Amino acid sequence: MSEAKKAKKSGFGRRKFLVGAATGVGVILGAGYLSRDLGRRYMAGMIHNLEPSYNNEAGPNLWFEITAENRVILHSPKVEMGQGVFTGLAQIAADELEVPIENMEVVHAATDRHVDPRSTGGSDSIAGLWNPLRELSATLREMLKSRAAELLDVERSALTVDAGVISGAGKSMTYGEVVAQTQESEWVVPDPPPLKDVSEYRYVGRPIARVDLQDKVLGSPIFGFDAALPDMLYGAVVRPDKIGATFLGADTSAAEGMPGVVKVVEEPDFVGVVAESQIQAEAAKKAIRARWQVDRNWQQADIEAMLKVGEGTAFEIQKAGDAEDLLSADGSADGDLITAEYSSPIGAHAQMEPNGTVAYVETKQGADDQVTILISTQVAKITRREVAERLGLDERQVNVKTTFLGGGFGRRLHTPNAMQAAVLSKAVGRPVKCFFDRKEEFQNDTFRPPTHHVLKARLNGGRIEALEHHVSSGDVAFGSPFIPELMETVLGADLGAWRGGMIQYRGIPHHRAVSWRVKLPFATSWWRSLGLLANTFAIESFIDELAEKAGADPVQFRLDHLADDEAGRRMRGVIEAARDRARWAEGAGEGRALGFAASTDAGTPAAQVVEVSVERGEIKVHRVVCAMDPGLAVNPDQIRAQCEGAIIMGQSASLYEEMTVEDGALTPTIYGAYRMALMRDAPKEIDVVILESTDEPGAVGEPPLGPIGAAIANGVFKLTGQRLRSLPLRIASTNQG
Amino acid sequence: MEELPVQISFTVNGVAQRVEVAGDTPLLWVLRDLLDLKGTKYGCGKAACGACTIHVDGEAVRSCSFAVKFAEGKEVTTIEGLSTEGGLHPVQQAWVEEVVPQCGYCQPGFIMATAALLEKIPSPTDQDIDDNIVNVCRCATYYRMRKAIHRAAEIRGQGSEERS
Ligand code: FES
Ligand code: FES
């Protein structure tokens, strides 16, 4: 590890540790969480003038509990949405704490014990906690050791730690025993101790099985949809099916007397019903006649007209040399001017668990109301604030307990449904569970915005002299009602629509990227990797077009345009690794072709080779080779799993998925009609090569989604000669296959 | 309009159950909300995703679209009843070996669908898998699932050899 990296501190000072008696067994070790420098690290070079402010939460943040049975419970500030964060954090903590990973248990932190000022997203869960968690764990280990020295009456230097047991001079104690015999005032917090070298770790770097694996095959984890409280009722809220609908009021008379109905609740901005069962709540909801004001009957053509490079406001996100002049069509520059346009559609999250909440607003005689929110959310902190504001309470009266997430992908970066459930609960004085149904989930999604791209290049002597990418996209970050918070939340690793929009071949002397911003009439937001898939599709398809024009091998052509700097070298590493593993030079089998693409996202480069064919007019993906360089691989097996999932999800978005606007509504509203990749569509072979060119973990969950669309399109071009420039990719009917 | 409550008796995971509920109530809600078996998931409510897959008399059924009255006198198995005291079901065992789940929400449905498939076709080909396993997984764990299905067939085969 380099000296510079060793010296990096995550910002935990001595005073931030707090040790107190826990309810029940064991003790709590807490620390204020201030990760300013880590956040800045991601920001560097990615944005020019936006500066997030991290607030240090008042009060202790709970990280660890150690029980008398010597189990270590880690309260994770990051939510588990499938990305395997619980497993990675358990590995990191177990290694510094010197406990067997089997003794670790990871749970979601509730907001009354711990608030992460950031959310979960942007692929930075492990990367962002790598240093803070190691430091916390090492500090706790040293505290336990010092205290054990007193209790055992053995010199501290004579003590060793192994598997959660401290021994020396023929005596020993477990961590749990130390904790059980220690009062709050007896702990001594040392300066942060030196961290172990990565080579000393037993768990980090190994393909440890997921800590939630057994539970997940038994069906036992509690997701938001499974959460329950005693005496719970079921709520349903009427949601609009038209774009831009404003709630005016409702006729609720038909619903009032229906079986099981406890109360119909009408608020200025929504109407809902509470009933004894889910079915009864749904039935009563259907009987409510809500009145909506809809100012415009939006059609797909309206959206497409708005979404054009040249419409809206422009922001230059990258510039080197004089691309603008060289690419003007006045004929004064040498070489061939080549231009092309690309596009991508509206995408739905379609995560399997719909959004919803179990809420309980408990009114207490002579005391403050207490609110409990059980929810699968990526933003516990924002949710807590929204509920508190809506009910006119202090945030401390609201405790948000996060459950497992049945998929996140950005859909749960804003969960205002918690407020609605809380309002319903308050109205009936009992816990209420209130969820979206699938149709509402599709219609009220915060969609991946559609995009339009214009690319221009000047080719001179077989090399790209100038390249320009213009992307027009619906808002991502700026569309959010929580700009400041979501900025600090997600800007750490991305900038919404631009993501993947810059030119990564910085060996091209003149290059430039421009982002055009359009405000669409429906909500658009983060969708696993955001602009990365669409931007990479456009740029990497265009690079292939240029290689074709230049008569060059597409892989070599890419290598020839990389800059000789760190990012360029890492990109070269993945390009060559994918090329070699896929035996690019040998080409594909009969009736098939290979396609290539590469991208860098949140600092992680990825390159992919796909093998495609066209069968009965449909594009089939048979094999994907993915080389990715996320830096130190905390859990190589889970990195592979993330690559496999991202590749198939990206394939799904590239080949099948598309929402359209019809008569003011977003459609379709059900799986199947919203076609997604199924088992039969998934490649039978996915080969992941992990490169570790840095000694700190980087982004994993989104980067491998980047290249897939372009790689498929490039393969299809090689096979059929058809250059497909819009997603989802569809073959014009020919005799192929 | 909802049907009137009726008494319905059936077995769930080997235990006799009697519920009083409108006969057209989807079995999914009876299992989840009345019998507190939360392993069976809601994904769409319209038989379009398979998250709610269970077994009724050994057949894979999408319980969101299966009225409880049709379960009268039948044997229902949910994910909670798939493993036995002897340990995990071969499908669950294979899922663990291949480290399939990500978020995990869809997994009970896939595991139940696969268990039913293997009863009918003990050694499915890739084509059999493509034709029969048509649930939705948004985390897109299909690549590992396919491997796990083949592995489950193997484990099952070994088990039956030992028994015979
Ligand atoms: S919930 Fe039953 S098939 Fe989707
Ligand atoms: S594991 Fe998340 S939906 Fe399948």
Side-chain angles (χ1 to χ4, degrees), chain A residues 580-649:
Chain A
D580 297 346
R581 177 67 69 100
R583 294 185 305 277
W584 171 259
E586 291 171 29
E590 181 65 25
R592 297 183 178 183
L594 300 183
F596 188 93
S599 61
T600 297
D601 180 48
T604 297
Q608 290 168 5
V609 177
V610 302
E611 186 171 331
V612 298
S613 70
V614 176
E615 287 166 24
R616 289 180 291 276
E618 276 224 3
I619 299 165
K620 284 284 292 172
V621 180
H622 300 277
R623 177 168 74 118
V624 180
V625 173
C626 174
M628 183 164 92
D629 179 3
L632 184 129
V634 171
N635 189 324
D637 181 62
Q638 282 305 300
I639 291 176
R640 281 174 210 287
Q642 286 297 300
C643 285
E644 293 155 10
I647 284 166
I648 302 173
M649 187 171 176

Side-chain angles (χ1 to χ4, degrees), chain A residues 140-435:
Chain A
L140 176 55
R141 182 193 68 223
E142 294 307 311
M143 288 163 67
L144 287 159
K145 230 168 124 181
S146 298
R147 179 64 185 145
E150 287 170 21
L151 290 167
L152 294 170
D153 197 18
V154 175
E155 272 296 308
R156 197 180 177 289
S157 57
L159 291 177
T160 56
V161 183
D162 184 38
V165 179
I166 304 169
S167 344
K171 301 189 244 183
S172 71
M173 293 181 88
T174 67
Y175 285 178
E177 287 164 348
V178 175
V179 159
Q181 294 174 41
T182 307
Q183 299 297 312
E184 187 176 338
S185 58
E186 291 166 319
W187 291 108
V188 178
V189 183
D191 282 331
L195 299 176
K196 295 185 189 180
D197 193 80
V198 173
S199 63
E200 295 172 64
Y201 288 144
R202 293 171 54 202
Y203 300 116
V204 167
R206 302 270 163 77
I208 303 294
R210 293 181 68 107
V211 294
D212 52 9
L213 182 56
Q214 180 99 356
D215 284 350
K216 282 184 172 171
V217 303
L218 290 168
S220 43
I222 296 298
F223 294 89
F225 200 87
D226 307 323
L229 289 170
D231 212 21
M232 185 173 81
L233 295 169
Y234 295 83
V237 166
V238 182
R239 299 180 200 280
D241 50 17
K242 296 282 185 196
I243 294 168
T246 313
F247 181 67
L248 295 178
D251 174 2
T252 61
S253 52
E256 310 270 359
M258 286 180 62
V261 169
V262 177
K263 195 163 189 172
V264 177
V265 181
E266 188 171 342
E267 291 277 306
D269 55 343
F270 74 93
V271 60
V273 56
V274 181
E276 298 285 346
S277 78
Q278 174 91 28
I279 294 289
Q280 290 166 333
E282 289 295 326
K285 179 178 79 177
K286 288 204 181 80
I288 295 173
R289 297 274 153 265
R291 293 186 303 279
W292 305 96
Q293 179 181 322
V294 179
D295 291 333
R296 182 165 172 184
N297 192 35
W298 291 94
Q299 303 291 354
Q300 183 67 19
D302 302 328
I303 306 299
E304 282 168 15
M306 291 171 81
L307 198 88
K308 279 265 172 268
V309 166
E311 301 286 328
T313 53
F315 189 33
E316 188 172 70
I317 55 175
Q318 188 187 24
K319 182 173 159 69
D322 199 9
E324 223 176 335
D325 270 5
L326 284 163
L327 294 168
S328 70
D330 66 4
S332 58
D334 292 338
D336 295 332
L337 179 65
I338 297 148
T339 64
E341 293 186 32
Y342 286 80
S343 66
S344 76
I346 307 166
H349 287 91
Q351 82 293 341
M352 297 303 298
E353 183 203 7
N355 278 278
T357 305
V358 173
Y360 185 25
V361 181
E362 207 176 344
T363 319
K364 294 186 168 164
Q365 282 300 322
D368 288 341
D369 289 358
Q370 281 299 326
V371 185
T372 303
I373 300 288
L374 310 179
I375 184 172
S376 53
T377 183
Q378 294 174 254
V379 283
K381 187 188 172 205
I382 293 173
T383 302
R384 181 180 66 164
R385 197 188 66 208
E386 284 184 330
V387 170
E389 274 174 9
R390 179 76 188 217
L391 300 178
L393 302 175
D394 187 278
E395 283 187 37
R396 279 167 303 195
Q397 290 166 263
V398 179
N399 188 19
V400 176
K401 298 184 181 177
T402 314
T403 62
F404 279 102
L405 277 65
F409 314 118
R411 177 64 183 102
R412 303 182 209 274
L413 281 167
H414 186 204
T415 42
N417 63 79
M419 294 188 283
Q420 296 175 328
V423 167
L424 295 183
S425 168
K426 190 171 179 187
V428 295
R430 285 169 65 180
V432 171
K433 173 183 174 179
C434 182
F435 270 75

Side-chain angles (χ1 to χ4, degrees), chain A residues 216 226 349 438 644 657, chain B residues 32 41 43 102 138 144:
Chain A
K216 282 184 172 171
D226 307 323
H349 287 91
R438 183 52 59 186
E644 293 155 10
E657 297 179 29
Chain B
R32 289 180 51 88
K41 304 300 181 195
Q102 289 190 22
R138 188 46 152 171
R144 289 185 182 203

